[in-house]
Amino acid sequence: MTDSKYFTTTKKGEIFELKAELNSDKKEKKKEAVKKVIASMTVGKDVSALFPDVVNCMQTDNLELKKLVYLYLMNYAKSQPDMAIMAVNTFVKDCEDPNPLIRALAVRTMGCIRVDKITEYLCEPLRKCLKDEDPYVRKTAAVCVAKLHDINAQLVEDQGFLDTLKDLISDSNPMVVANAVAALSEIAESHPSSNLLDLNPQSINKLLTALNECTEWGQIFILDCLASYTPKDDREAQSICERVTPRLSHANSAVVLSAVKVLMKFMEMLSKDLDYYGTLLKKLAPPLVTLLSAEPELQYVALRNINLIVQKRPEILKHEMKVFFVKYNDPIYVKLEKLDIMIRLASQANIAQVLAELKEYATEVDVDFVRKAVRAIGRCAIKVEQSAERCVSTLLDLIQTKVNYVVQEAIVVIKDIFRKYPNKYESVIATLCENLDSLDEPEARAAMIWIVGEYAERIDNADELLESFLEGFHDESTQVQLQLLTAIVKLFLKKPTETQELVQQVLSLATQDSDNPDLRDRGYIYWRLLSTDPVAAKEVVLAEKPLISEETDLIEPTLLDELICYIGTLASVYHKPPSAFVEGGRGVVHKSLPPRTASSESTESPETAPAGAPPGEQLDVVPTQGDLLGDLLNLDLGPPVSGPPLATSTVQMGAVDLLGGGLDSLIGAPNFVAPPAAAVPANLGAPMGSGLSDLFDLTSGVGTLSGSYVAPKAVWLPAMKAKGLEISGTFTRQAGSISMDLQLTNKALQVMTDFAIQFNRNSFGLAPAAPLQVHAPLSPTQTVEISLPLRTAGSVMKTEPLNNLQVAVKNNIDVFYFSTLYPLHILFVEDGKMDRQMFLATWKDIPNENEAQFQIRDCPLNAEAVSSRLQSSNIFTVARRNVEGQDMLYQSLKLTNGIWVLAELRIQPGNPSFMLSLKCRAPEVSQHVYQAYETILKN
Amino acid sequence: MIGGLFIYNHKGEVLISRVYRDDIGRNAVDAFRVNVIHARQQVRSPVTNIARTSFFHVKRSNIWLAAVTKQNVNAAMVFEFLYKMCDVMAAYFGKISEENIKNNFVLIYELLDEILDFGYPQNSETGALKTFITQQGIKSQTKEEQSQITSQVTGQIGWRREGIKYRRNELFLDVLESVNLLMSPQGQVLSAHVSGRVVMKSYLSGMPECKFGMNDKIVIEKQGKGTADETSKSGKQSIAIDDCTFHQCVRLSKFDSERSISFIPPDGEFELMRYRTTKDIILPFRVIPLVREVGRTKLEVKVVIKSNFKPSLLAQKIEVRIPTPLNTSGVQVICMKGKAKYKASENAIVWKIKRMAGMKESQISAEIELLPTKDKKKWARPPISMNFEVPFAPSGLKVRYLKVFEPKLNYSDHDVIKWVRYIGRSGIYETRC
């Protein structure tokens, strides 16, 4: 008799029959019935109606039956909380069972039942199980604490389970240690500020000992935890590395990758002159290569990680090119990733082999792969100058195949080659022009148009070619339209006599008949330039272009550093920080590599940029190929990338130089009369993502903006939790008054009215200074923006954390509650500047134990910029000194409740890490003041 | 951590669904079916993100296993776990098929409850699991038995139980290698490597301490420092191992410091180590292709294979696969040895030879008739691939010793009967043409 029959019962009245069977006296029949119930549950049928009957079967000495009933309970307890109580008794009894397997089973299952009343009863048994004599029960109980924390964090803290869990790190059994580490790491993620894991050299030593003894999974938990530790100096880092390296020989790839993560992170702290550094580099390559003989899915994970490692430390795998050669029957996702890494590793030494391979790939079947291979040939040409000639001839061969997508890709890359090596390969233009008709993809069309415009003087019929595109101007994509506009203007500047008509045609098409603001604006700028000063126009439009960099698709350095800290995890597979794909606050703590802190020698500035690409050059990168796989994953919002904005924005070819130059004069000339559509204000809202937004950023950075830094609005209350009302907001302080800028969105289907707001008592007495005024009813899908003025005279109660604000919002539907953290700098008052004498006296007066030190990392500003930026947020520089090449800023600020905070900020030129010492009579605010510094300086 | 685990059949019907975390809802089951199993195009990635939920999947025959999460989990761990899950299921009920899964669904739920707790993988060694997940229920175990189980599941030696007894202590070592080659049409080695495995079957009593030795260059050279003549004797006998990984029973820290391989083995069969070599590989066969296009409708192919090992040894199960274009209409083959057939369904000529001794040569020639096509795209000319099995290790690896110590029981290393076998197989052994 087989169990598969349970999947086939689909008759009517089934539930009724099952009920009868469940209540049968015969044990066997009962068990059969429960099996049927579980089978129905699996395929998605609702069998919750059988709840009481199934729970009745729970009291049994048949373990198999018991487990089935537990499985049912875990699924349906939430829907029937009152009935679930019936099970509590059995659970509590089972927790006392002499058999450790049953005790563990009970506590494991109880933790999975998310019903408040059950959790209450869980506490006592759990406490006992955490101290059980049997390690199997303890390791199960350790995980159960994490479960309970997920249901009710407060309860776990109140009951003191966290301390018991911490004690388990010193348990004699390695598996208990591993599970305790896993549980603590998870809990710590939701309390980023708390020092829950409390890693110190002693506890690290314990973990390293357990590492040798526990299961493969336990080793992963421990290694992942180790990776979040920052050793105090290079010696400690080295000794941990030494004890982690044996893991590189583990059969489990995840153990290997987690070990690689620890090593990559701690290597950052080691001096490059150290012998050990070289040894470590050599040890890393073989295990990474071995990962490529794993199953394809793991290969994929490994390759995505190797892609990061190669960018961070190219020296590790520079001799291993061959292992990345594509095998004929690799799955497509492995092929594409290998290709990516091949391009990164290509160098003069191996270019011949690589090219031979790429040529081979370009004849394969898979379209995406072939395209990428063709692009790769172009990348090689740009990267390795010696190979450029061979690459170009290979590309021409490929164009001769006349395979449509191959031709288009080839043209796109040849455009880049032209830019990299001007006046060298233009002889092939004629061949390219032959293929004009077959181009149907925007990118290829745009590339071809760029080539025609750029080399208009060498192409006799350039005007005819461009004119042919003009006929269907409005059907083209924006990319092509913009390129066409620029190309024709170039042509006009080169051959003004015969193309006047053409240029007028395109300008009017762009400015009068287009709805696209980008296109319109560019049209107006050209028009204005051409009509006022043709010489200037020539200088701007035909200016020498910046060289393009050798590397493309490089991950922006700070993001790369963050991703290195996430080796092995999903973030490293997506190449996105966890905040881009993880909901809520869980696991979105920003991680960064440790700075190098040598124990003996002088401190060197940590390396952030990968070799050969200092951040400045980033600006010149032409972002060509979109990562094909990346696009697949782009279902989410793009990651909030910090750093030079140009490097990540999609710069159109030629847009930077043109608009950059064009707008400078535009802003510089106040009496300039804007063309009809008023270009300037329109730009502010236009999603240009190019030179324009940067220009405006610059002006605001100089200090025209009064008032302190304002964080972007964050969602405070998701629509799901508030019956369709979504609230996002931020806090501002402008000209001495604080306000809460709210954005209310109605995502429900009914109209919302009667809004009101109230705050709970809080640390600084924040309260609304006026009622919440929503003038009209909020209809579905509508959004309103409201600025709610706040005062600080409300009643005061210390909150935890200090800057927590609990808010209640009412509307005609219900009352909703949420809490948010306000940045402390909104409380910094305008008269917070202390005079020098006073500062000195106060500094001395405040006891030293009130002093708190913080490090502000990765802040590229110099002392002046820091000072002026802080000042706009009411942090005042009282004095400035230069001590041994370091800039010391002495600063003061005052909070709305009259508390003074004094600060000493130490800035070393060239080192992006600042030291901040804070002194205050109420030391609990220091942490938050530090955070305010962070936000102000980093945004 | 893993939020849920689903198993589907080829149609996308759920066979097993176990949710571990509250953030995973029932709709996740459907999201995967709709977006991956029923997706129109080929799967482009084993990791899929659908509405902020990440799905990891592997396929075994036509069964899909999917792990789901909303967190930033350790991706490598999730895949390792899915493979392990397959191994465990296979160890319990054989092949992973829809039939077997449905027949054992209660067992699978029980296993899933044990090896994954709140999404954290727990001990998943079948040796240990089989002591207490039996589908028989716990039958009045004594207190000692129970604590033995729990200490094994959580203990340092989770892969072996105490009190194993054999009348005859015996062990088998298999050195299994797969040799991979990619050769250019001109005979230039583009890439070659051997990936090998040492598989051990142990039937030993008690808790035996084992030490395994092979002709690892680093070890030989270390020892050779004392006795210079021995190195010269062993000469080129030692091999350079690029990298190796070990079963979790091997003490890695000892290997790291002394390069000695010591362990207490699991009972029965397991994979002791995996290794990879790239230097001085003996390539058992050389393939020399010659393809000539005679006009637009005819191809002439000639392939010579040469065996390159001791004449006293015999290679077996030799198969050469010569791809043919899609528009092939007819093929005529002549071969000196073995049998050759054109298989239209596989678009290839398959040439099989049962046995072939070392230092021999054989040849096949074929005429391929083509249908004229309008297709502009050229035939991609996939490489000629080869399969074979040889009774030696292409890497040159030799087992030097495997010593067994069991101080508590009265049998010594000499009493253990040991068997060693070498098998070299073709991995991806391709020659471009």
Side-chain angles (χ1 to χ4, degrees), chain A residues 293-313:
Chain A
S293 46
E295 289 84 345
E297 293 87 1
L298 267 174
Q299 277 189 53
Y300 173 71
V301 174
L303 285 165
R304 294 291 285 176
N305 278 287
I306 289 173
N307 198 328
L308 298 172
I309 292 168
V310 166
Q311 289 183 58
K312 181 74 193 164
R313 297 195 182 276

Side-chain angles (χ1 to χ4, degrees), chain A residues 272-339:
Chain A
K272 285 196 171 169
D273 317 325
L274 223 59
D275 286 345
Y276 183 68
Y277 180 86
T279 322
L280 203 52
L281 274 185
K282 276 196 206 104
K283 278 193 172 172
L284 275 170
L288 288 173
V289 173
T290 298
L291 290 176
L292 299 183
S293 46
E295 289 84 345
E297 293 87 1
L298 267 174
Q299 277 189 53
Y300 173 71
V301 174
L303 285 165
R304 294 291 285 176
N305 278 287
I306 289 173
N307 198 328
L308 298 172
I309 292 168
V310 166
Q311 289 183 58
K312 181 74 193 164
R313 297 195 182 276
E315 62 272 33
I316 295 178
L317 287 166
K318 66 177 175 211
H319 299 303
E320 303 287 350
M321 171 61 93
K322 277 187 182 177
V323 299
F324 297 102
F325 284 179
V326 169
K327 294 193 188 115
Y328 187 70
N329 47 1
D330 277 335
I332 181 67
Y333 50 81
V334 169
K335 283 184 176 172
L336 292 172
E337 290 307 314
K338 281 188 172 172
L339 202 50

Side-chain angles (χ1 to χ4, degrees), chain B residues 327-342:
Chain B
N327 54 337
T328 302
S329 61
V331 175
Q332 282 169 332
V333 221
I334 310 161
C335 58
M336 286 160 56
K337 215 176 165 201
K339 281 179 190 159
K341 240 190 205 163
Y342 166 62

Side-chain angles (χ1 to χ4, degrees), chain B residues 206-337:
Chain B
M207 293 301 254
E209 182 69 45
C210 297
K211 210 171 162 191
F212 174 69
M214 55 188 175
N215 56 342
D216 176 359
K217 200 171 189 171
I218 299 175
V219 177
I220 304 270
E221 275 170 8
K222 224 193 251 173
Q223 290 170 342
K225 269 178 198 157
T227 51
D229 51 316
E230 206 180 301
T231 22
S232 56
K233 230 191 277 171
S234 58
K236 232 200 91 246
Q237 297 290 299
S238 63
I239 61 159
I241 292 176
D242 286 29
D243 187 40
C244 47
T245 60
F246 296 99
H247 185 267
Q248 60 166 319
C249 67
V250 176
R251 293 182 191 91
L252 293 179
S253 40
K254 214 158 176 186
F255 178 74
D256 194 56
S257 56
E258 305 163 22
R259 222 170 156 87
S260 76
I261 302 164
S262 61
F263 55 96
I264 295 173
D267 194 35
E269 185 174 328
F270 73 104
E271 189 179 286
L272 175 65
M273 71 177 282
R274 275 178 189 234
Y275 56 91
R276 185 166 46 84
T277 72
T278 47
K279 289 202 188 72
D280 303 323
I281 294 169
I282 308 158
L283 295 170
F285 285 96
R286 163 90 205 271
V287 177
I288 305 156
L290 198 76
V291 181
R292 212 158 63 91
E293 290 180 32
V294 188
R296 299 204 53 172
T297 56
K298 204 169 152 194
L299 273 180
E300 275 180 14
V301 181
K302 196 174 109 180
V303 177
V304 180
I305 59 167
K306 284 184 180 170
S307 61
N308 175 35
F309 44 88
K310 267 192 245 162
S312 57
L313 297 175
L314 273 181
Q316 288 184 320
K317 301 178 191 165
I318 301 149
E319 187 185 291
V320 182
R321 183 171 285 264
I322 305 161
T324 55
L326 295 174
N327 54 337
T328 302
S329 61
V331 175
Q332 282 169 332
V333 221
I334 310 161
C335 58
M336 286 160 56
K337 215 176 165 201

Side-chain angles (χ1 to χ4, degrees), chain A residues 529-543:
Chain A
L529 266 173
L530 292 173
S531 56
T532 49
D533 189 352
V535 182
K538 212 161 189 169
E539 268 167 33
V540 170
V541 180
L542 301 179

